[in-house]
Amino acid sequence: MKKIEAYVRHEAFDPIREDLLDRGFPSLTITEVKGSGRQEGVVEHYRGAAVVVNVRPKLKVEVFVADKDKSMVVETILKHARTGEVGDGKIFVSTVDEVYRVRTGEEGEEILDAHAPWEIPA
Ligand SMILES: Nc1ncnc2c1ncn2[C@@H]1O[C@H](COP(=O)(O)OP(=O)(O)OP(=O)(O)O)[C@@H](O)[C@H]1O
Ligand SMILES: [Mg+2]
């Protein structure tokens, strides 16, 4: 399993969401975050500690997928998040060991299986 963690512009979310839904991936988590990339981070010193100022709002989009689905989800995010301007964001991919569905106690990659579009509640 992979965790795909993308930091993107807010405007990128709707097209990413729509495309992933169309492909049968309704499950994701988003968090409003603030961060700095290369240019935005201005380091200042406060009482001896380095402090990064001038952080900008981004959306963190997290999707956990089976290995076989990773490239498609990454490509989908890249496609919609890229404007070509500085600050388009970043995508981090990491390996995930375990997943459990709380309701049933099931575990394993199978419970991440992409829902068929007709199984998605309206
Ligand atoms: N190394 C990192 N660790 C943690 N968060 C990061 C890291 N790099 C980027 N981010 C997050 O991603 C957001 C978007 O970064 P940003 O798009 O500015 O990346 P960049 O590498 O500076 O690329 P660009 O040149 O397009 O600006 C940041 O605001 C921050 O929230
Ligand atoms: Mg940047």
Side-chain angles (χ1 to χ4, degrees), residues 86-101:
V86 159
D88 274 351
K90 274 211 180 77
I91 303 174
F92 299 88
V93 178
S94 51
T95 298
V96 173
D97 292 332
E98 299 178 14
V99 57
Y100 298 86
R101 176 174 285 129

Side-chain angles (χ1 to χ4, degrees), residues 7 35-40 58 85-90 92:
Y7 295 79
S36 59
R38 288 181 300 181
Q39 303 83 358
E40 293 92 334
K58 293 281 179 203
E85 299 296 317
V86 159
D88 274 351
K90 274 211 180 77
F92 299 88

Side-chain angles (χ1 to χ4, degrees), residues 72 87 122:
M72 184 277 292

Side-chain angles (χ1 to χ4, degrees), residues 12-96:
F13 179 67
D14 281 347
I16 290 170
R17 169 66 161 165
E18 193 173 324
D19 205 339
L20 289 177
L21 267 179
D22 285 348
R23 294 167 185 275
F25 290 79
S27 305
L28 51 73
T29 300
I30 61 174
T31 313
E32 304 218 0
V33 296
K34 289 182 181 170
S36 59
R38 288 181 300 181
Q39 303 83 358
E40 293 92 334
V42 178
V43 178
E44 291 187 351
H45 293 271
Y46 177 74
R47 293 184 178 171
V51 179
V52 178
V53 296
N54 196 19
V55 291
R56 287 165 196 278
K58 293 281 179 203
L59 210 56
K60 180 169 74 169
V61 182
E62 290 166 296
V63 193
F64 294 84
V65 297
D67 289 8
K68 66 175 166 48
D69 296 319
K70 183 257 301 177
S71 298
M72 184 277 292
V73 173
V74 168
E75 292 298 323
T76 299
I77 295 170
L78 282 173
K79 181 167 96 183
H80 296 294
R82 180 182 296 136
T83 68
E85 299 296 317
V86 159
D88 274 351
K90 274 211 180 77
I91 303 174
F92 299 88
V93 178
S94 51
T95 298
V96 173

